[in-house]
Amino acid sequence: MTSSIIRNPLSRRGFLGAAAAAGAGIGLGPAHAEKPAPDPLITEVQDWNRYLGDGVDKRPYGTPSPFEKHVVRRHVAWLTASPESSVNFTPLHELDGIITPSGLCFERHHGGIAEIDPANHRLMIHGLVEKPLVFTMEDLKRMPRENRIYFLECAANSGMEWRGAQLNGCQFTHGMVHNVMYTGVTLKTLLNEVGLKPNAKWLMLEGADSAGMNRSLPVEKALDDVLIAFGMNGEALRPEQGYPLRAVIPGWEGNLWVKWLRRIEVGDQPWQAREETSKYTDLLADGRSRRFTFYMDAKSVVTNPSPQAPLKHKGRNVLTGIAWSGRGHIERVDVSLDGGRNWRTARIDGPVLEKSLTRFYVDFDWQGEALLIQSRAMDSTGYVQPSKDDLRKVRGVNSIYHNNGIQTWHVRPDGETENVEIG
Amino acid sequence: MSRLARTALLAGAAALIVLGVGPLFAKAQKPAKPEAQKTEAAPSAATRVAKLNLGRVALPEEIAAWDTDVRPDGHGLPPGKGTVKEGDEIFQAQCAACHGEFGEGAGRWPVLAGGQGSLTADRPEKTIGSFWPDLSTVFDYIRRAMPYGNAHSLSADEAYALTAYLLYLNDLVKDEDFELSEKNFTSIKLPNAKNFYDDDRETTEKAFWGQTPCMTNCKSEVKITGRAAVLDVTPDDDKTAPKVD
């Protein structure tokens, strides 16, 4: 079969058939030079075109089509000791635009999901305040609200890649990020209710979960842009994301965004909680460690093509990806198809917001040549996303957290795509 | 003109404006001006905002029930005491299943002891003795979240005893009769405390700012130096052969 195609190189169908056969052994049937057979999907009446479908209320809370059932969060079993203190990953390669659907936002729990009836939830604010207060969810929903779109990135996103290419899929290498529109009350509003004492310098945020997840937060940030949110993407927070109440700490590492938030203590110094000392500190090559590395530096990744989303067609293709910065907005994204030898500026489409994912595209033609795809983000502070090697020069390979180095995907002539390191 | 008609006209004008602007945006090479998402500046004492008078005063008993956090300066330490020996017994019964008899860790559960001098090694072992800066974190975390799956079940005395045993496992106290209490707690310093410093990226990584990145002929040669496929640790139902048409 293949040889007959090769003998007829001028036939367009022959070329397409040969490419398909070479790619995966799936041919288009015997190669004819005659006129093409009509598509039965068009010429025959399909079931969905004849019979009645489900009525209203059959799906009172809609879910994605069964044909999208592969679009799910996934975890890497060997990473952690138990699923209750673990992480899974957003399927970035299946998403587009800038908003992450609520059910696909990656999960990170330290003691499982706390299931809390909002009627039984309380938020206490005490410590160095004029009047310690307890708020119910009803109280919070009577306060002035704001809506803001922010990315949340786990400080350990890409943390498995410090020593070299390890996981084959942007879901696994970069999927500890999501982007959501939050609805909530500013923390400034709440702190105004309790009244900060003059020596108030740090806050401690604590969750109601079985890990009592807690972090220290400087009061300047608390008064700047922190939200105490009860809504995400237009509806209540999902249990996995802290229902009924979570902290939103724009641009700063995800671990600070305490879920199931039940308590804020005001103090004059940080608490040195477990999650800001033994974890979420960055061990450098000299054996010393940075702490309170709050900001998430500018970063980007090409989500398509990527190992879970190989190239399937020669000719016209869409390359897309996301970029974000915890220090401002994305100014520009460059893309290379040849491992960083040459770059072109990507087309940004959709809203460009501070501390939010930003979507970029490169529409390109592919003739089956090997590609080494990279993306490089630049933010409004002039920060340029560094290469992994440049990061390693400053930090070594043991810091786990804050790996924002440039990712490389190797696209092979058959379209298969792999996570690689280049030199 | 009736109010209704005027509203309709205004709406029509707005629609026209939107339609007119649409294609321009679509063609623009540069992203639209980023929208500031920041809230207004923080209030100073002079511009204090009126209170909403929502919420109610937290009672002292309520604060006491939740305020169990402990800081390195000893703030929050409850009265109590416990010895290494007592801690050993509690540890074997309640902790060793995950952390190992001597804090060496079972499977992938956290290692709590050992690892001294390993922080510059190829595979650092970050334990209480080798890495953690503050003893208060141990006590706070035990009372907050341990034992895993049965939090808030240990008394203050038991938490002191466990903390004492963890000091012993890390060779930071040698005597099995050593007793830890709120009185001697802050006198104990962990060896790695001095090796933590605040985020300095804006100075030590200043080179990542303000560069004009190279666009053409930036490298002479590019070689693949490592592949994820070689390690083969990716969960595997994604490994489907692609097809190209």
Side-chain angles (χ1 to χ4, degrees):
Chain A
M1 186 186 99
T2 309
S3 59
S4 73
I5 293 163
I6 288 166
R7 264 184 254 121
N8 188 7
L10 294 178
S11 152
R12 180 172 153 73
R13 276 185 54 81
F15 169 76
L16 287 170
I26 300 166
L28 298 175
H32 310 291
E34 311 98 68
K35 77 175 180 120
D39 184 349
L41 286 167
I42 294 170
T43 56
E44 289 169 21
V45 177
Q46 305 298 315
D47 284 355
W48 58 85
N49 192 212
R50 171 164 295 160
Y51 305 115
L52 297 176
D54 285 347
V56 297
D57 280 358
K58 185 82 178 173
R59 310 175 192 197
Y61 191 106
T63 52
S65 159
F67 302 106
E68 296 293 317
K69 67 175 191 287
H70 59 289
V71 183
V72 289
R73 301 180 286 220
R74 300 189 58 206
H75 83 293
V76 177
W78 55 263
L79 271 178
T80 49
S82 103
E84 293 82 17
S85 180
S86 193
V87 63
N88 61 16
F89 301 88
T90 306
L92 298 175
H93 60 294
E94 297 284 358
L95 304 180
D96 217 316
I98 66 163
I99 296 294
T100 313
S102 299
L104 295 176
C105 291
F106 80 93
E107 300 171 81
R108 172 54 167 132
H109 317 310
H110 294 76
I113 299 166
E115 294 283 4
I116 305 172
D117 178 342
N120 295 337
H121 191 69
R122 302 287 182 270
L123 174 65
M124 179 191 291
I125 307 182
H126 70 103
L128 298 178
V129 298
E130 282 155 15
K131 190 165 71 167
L133 291 176
V134 172
F135 300 100
T136 62
M137 291 302 298
E138 292 287 319
D139 293 331
L140 297 170
K141 291 187 175 178
R142 293 166 65 196
M143 296 180 178
R145 289 174 207 171
E146 294 194 354
N147 295 287
R148 296 284 184 275
I149 298 171
Y150 293 120
F151 78 81
L152 182 165
E153 184 184 19
C154 177
N157 199 22
S158 314
M160 292 81 78
E161 305 287 312
W162 274 107
R163 289 162 181 276
Q166 186 153 210
L167 289 162
N168 252 334
C170 70
Q171 180 167 16
F172 303 112
T173 57
H174 289 75
M176 281 194 272
V177 67
H178 59 62
N179 206 53
V180 161
M181 177 179 273
Y182 295 97
T183 303
V185 175
T186 65
L187 181 48
K188 193 176 67 176
T189 299
L190 293 170
L191 295 177
N192 186 58
E193 286 300 289
V194 294
L196 290 180
K197 289 194 170 163
N199 54 339
K201 294 280 186 294
W202 286 79
L203 311 185
M204 195 271 290
L205 279 58
E206 179 183 84
D209 58 323
S210 75
M213 239 303 300
N214 66 322
R215 284 292 304 256
S216 304
L217 182 76
V219 76
E220 296 78 17
K221 180 69 173 175
L223 292 172
D224 179 16
D225 57 1
V226 171
L227 281 181
I228 303 304
F230 43 78
M232 68 187 288
N233 292 337
E235 60 180 354
L237 292 172
R238 292 290 171 88
E240 312 94 283
Q241 306 302 336
Y243 179 86
L245 197 65
R246 84 169 310 164
V248 171
I249 320 284
W252 288 19
E253 61 184 22
N255 186 254
L256 288 152
W257 299 45
V258 173
K259 301 190 282 189
W260 313 289
L261 180 72
R262 75 165 191 182
R263 187 165 73 99
I264 299 173
E265 185 172 348
V266 182
D268 58 0
Q269 54 183 275
W271 272 258
Q272 312 295 356
R274 185 216 189 217
E275 310 298 335
E276 59 204 19
T277 54
S278 85
K279 309 284 176 189
Y280 303 97
T281 49
D282 312 345
L283 175 61
L284 303 192
D286 66 0
R288 300 192 306 144
S289 301
R290 286 179 184 154
R291 71 173 137 196
F292 303 130
T293 45
F294 297 131
Y295 285 98
M296 300 310 296
D297 283 322
K299 185 168 173 178
S300 66
V301 66
V302 171
T303 56
N304 306 76
S306 65
Q308 295 160 290
L311 282 183
K312 294 192 283 193
H313 310 278
K314 286 184 183 167
R316 203 68 177 153
N317 276 287
V318 172
L319 176 154
T320 186
I322 45 174
W324 61 97
S325 168
R327 298 180 188 270
H329 66 262
I330 289 299
E331 197 69 49
R332 190 176 111 193
V333 182
D334 295 334
V335 168
S336 173
L337 301 180
D338 59 7
R341 268 175 293 204
N342 297 286
W343 298 83
R344 67 186 86 178
T345 296
R347 174 173 62 89
I348 288 176
D349 190 78
V352 178
L353 300 170
E354 277 189 352
K355 302 162 194 169
S356 162
L357 295 192
T358 300
R359 173 64 58 176
F360 64 85
Y361 297 95
V362 171
D363 304 294
F364 73 110
D365 283 308
W366 182 57
Q367 300 308 331
E369 71 275 26
L371 305 174
L372 289 167
I373 296 179
Q374 299 185 321
S375 64
R376 176 175 68 193
M378 278 149 271
D379 76 10
S380 49
T381 70
Y383 185 95
V384 182
Q385 184 183 2
S387 71
K388 287 185 180 173
D389 280 339
D390 284 345
L391 271 187
R392 290 181 186 120
K393 273 178 213 154
V394 189
R395 305 193 196 162
V397 295
N398 284 330
S399 73
I400 302 174
Y401 306 103
H402 294 279
N403 183 351
N404 65 321
I406 290 174
Q407 174 65 43
T408 310
W409 305 125
H410 175 214
V411 180
R412 295 181 192 172
D414 64 1
E416 195 174 338
T417 301
E418 185 191 0
N419 176 10
V420 298
E421 285 272 337
I422 56 167
Chain B
M1 198 188 317
S2 76
R3 269 180 79 169
L4 212 82
R6 194 184 314 185
T7 311
L9 267 177
L10 284 171
L16 273 175
I17 289 164
V18 169
L19 281 173
V21 166
L24 276 177
F25 272 132
K27 269 186 240 157
Q29 287 296 307
K30 286 193 176 164
K33 195 178 164 212
E35 291 166 43
Q37 293 202 77
K38 246 173 82 171
T39 52
E40 69 270 34
S44 67
T47 61
R48 190 154 285 189
V49 182
K51 289 194 194 297
L52 303 166
N53 294 314
L54 290 165
R56 61 154 178 90
V57 170
L59 303 177
E61 309 92 287
E62 293 172 330
I63 296 173
W66 279 4
D67 183 11
T68 65
D69 49 84
V70 177
R71 290 193 320 206
D73 63 355
H75 177 93
L77 277 173
K81 59 184 185 339
T83 65
V84 170
K85 254 189 209 156
E86 289 161 357
D88 188 358
E89 257 178 54
I90 302 160
F91 192 89
Q92 302 316 326
Q94 304 230 37
C95 318
C98 296
H99 293 298
E101 267 180 74
F102 304 103
E104 74 278 16
R108 295 197 60 81
W109 296 100
V111 179
L112 302 178
Q116 276 88 342
S118 72
L119 296 183
T120 54
D122 189 40
R123 300 282 167 178
E125 191 78 85
K126 297 198 275 186
T127 73
I128 293 166
S130 72
F131 189 68
W132 293 34
D134 302 294
L135 189 63
S136 58
T137 311
V138 179
F139 188 90
D140 176 281
Y141 189 68
I142 290 171
R143 292 202 85 199
R144 170 178 304 285
M146 292 290 113
Y148 190 62
N150 192 20
H152 309 290
S153 62
L154 295 168
S155 69
D157 284 349
E158 288 173 313
Y160 278 112
L162 283 169
T163 307
Y165 182 63
L166 288 165
L167 286 170
Y168 180 81
L169 286 181
N170 279 288
D171 296 325
L172 297 169
V173 299
K174 312 281 185 197
D175 181 359
E176 285 183 27
D177 295 319
F178 170 79
E179 184 180 83
L180 188 66
S181 72
E182 83 277 14
K183 295 188 182 71
N184 63 357
F185 195 97
T186 55
S187 69
I188 296 166
K189 305 294 174 202
L190 297 185
N192 195 45
K194 61 185 184 304
N195 291 322
F196 286 83
Y197 58 99
D198 287 350
D199 187 3
D200 64 351
R201 280 176 289 177
E202 287 174 28
T203 50
T204 52
E205 298 183 3
K206 205 170 190 297
F208 297 154
W209 272 270
Q211 285 182 7
T212 306
C214 173
M215 296 299 284
T216 49
N217 300 317
C218 304
K219 298 175 182 177
S220 54
E221 198 193 10
V222 176
K223 268 194 303 205
I224 292 175
T225 55
R227 298 169 182 274
V230 174
L231 280 161
D232 200 25
V233 289
T234 311
D236 54 15
D237 48 276
D238 273 304
K239 288 176 188 160
T240 50
K243 67 171 190 228
V244 175
D245 62 26

